[in-house]
Amino acid sequence: MNILNTKSAILQTIREKAILKQLVYKNTAEVFAELKEVLENLVEEYNAELHDQSDAVKLDYKDRGESEIQIRVASDILVFSMYSNVFQFDREHAVWQKDYVKHNPNNAYSGIINIYNFLSDSFKYNRSEDLGYLVARIFINKEKHYIVEGKRQMGLLEKDLSQSISNEDSLRKIIETAINYSLNFDLLVPPYDDVKILAVADIEEKIQNSKIKTGKRLGFQFKSDDV
């Protein structure tokens, strides 16, 4: 009898979690598709304002498939990447303090869209050792509610999972905040001791491929509360 009860409980959990995770992923994919549309329209709008500027100054949009988008803004590239898995917030996360999650723990299961900031030259010159930084991540749950975690002003965006629902306006605000943050997150000179010695092979590779590792904070400790 116990074996049958255990089996029944396992099968029920599998069914419930499979349905839940499929719904969360579906919502995340739909939000990502909306994000693509908002990004494409935003790039067109900004470029219309920059019509008298060279192409190097204008924004550039690239759809990289179902789970990745890139936009170039001046010397920066922002990569929007949708994760294929569904996650649950750890028990120390602030979302568990809200009745919305306390009363229904399934609301804590979320898909993730990450926003990374790279130097555009890293892609232009194929510098595979260059560094990018996670600017923000968007969490979307089974009800299409969302929160945003991120650096400085990104952290000023929506934090209440019970109140926020993804729409065109909220996505545009996230995008523009990420762009503004990245443009003001400047490239710093690496510490002298980190670059004072260079092997012959390294300098040859630099000449041929420009592959000296570069990042906006190379050589500096980068914490969640930095900048």
Side-chain angles (χ1 to χ4, degrees), residues 178-197:
I179 290 172
N180 189 48
Y181 172 84
S182 298
L183 290 175
N184 287 285
F185 177 39
D186 293 321
L187 182 67
L188 297 184
V189 176
Y192 183 85
D193 285 344
D194 286 359
V195 294
K196 67 182 180 181
I197 299 174

Side-chain angles (χ1 to χ4, degrees), residues 66-193:
E66 292 184 359
S67 60
E68 186 178 311
I69 320 160
Q70 292 180 8
I71 61 166
R72 179 181 55 78
V73 186
S75 61
D76 287 277
I77 281 183
L78 274 74
V79 177
F80 297 77
S81 177
M82 182 181 72
Y83 219 97
S84 61
N85 298 107
V86 172
F87 299 85
Q88 187 183 46
F89 290 99
D90 68 80
R91 293 290 172 170
E92 302 301 317
H93 198 280
V95 297
W96 290 99
Q97 303 302 315
K98 303 288 185 180
D99 289 340
Y100 177 68
V101 173
K102 284 181 181 178
H103 294 161
N104 187 354
N106 285 344
N107 287 333
Y109 283 90
S110 300
I112 302 177
I113 297 172
N114 291 317
I115 306 174
Y116 293 96
N117 176 213
F118 290 87
L119 296 166
S120 60
D121 278 1
S122 299
F123 290 83
K124 182 178 180 180
Y125 297 110
N126 195 29
R127 297 193 307 230
S128 59
E129 296 300 313
D130 281 8
L131 305 175
Y133 295 95
L134 182 64
V135 172
R137 49 186 184 172
I138 311 165
F139 298 89
I140 300 102
N141 77 354
K142 69 185 184 70
E143 296 182 340
K144 247 182 188 176
H145 288 213
Y146 78 95
I147 61 170
V148 180
E149 288 185 344
K151 298 287 189 177
R152 191 186 274 176
Q153 62 260 46
M154 297 304 300
L156 300 177
L157 297 177
E158 191 56 62
K159 292 183 176 181
D160 189 345
L161 193 61
S162 66
Q163 298 295 323
S164 56
I165 299 178
S166 171
N167 56 41
E168 182 179 343
D169 289 339
S170 63
L171 292 174
R172 182 180 175 112
K173 184 178 179 181
I174 292 168
I175 292 165
E176 291 187 315
T177 306
I179 290 172
N180 189 48
Y181 172 84
S182 298
L183 290 175
N184 287 285
F185 177 39
D186 293 321
L187 182 67
L188 297 184
V189 176
Y192 183 85
D193 285 344

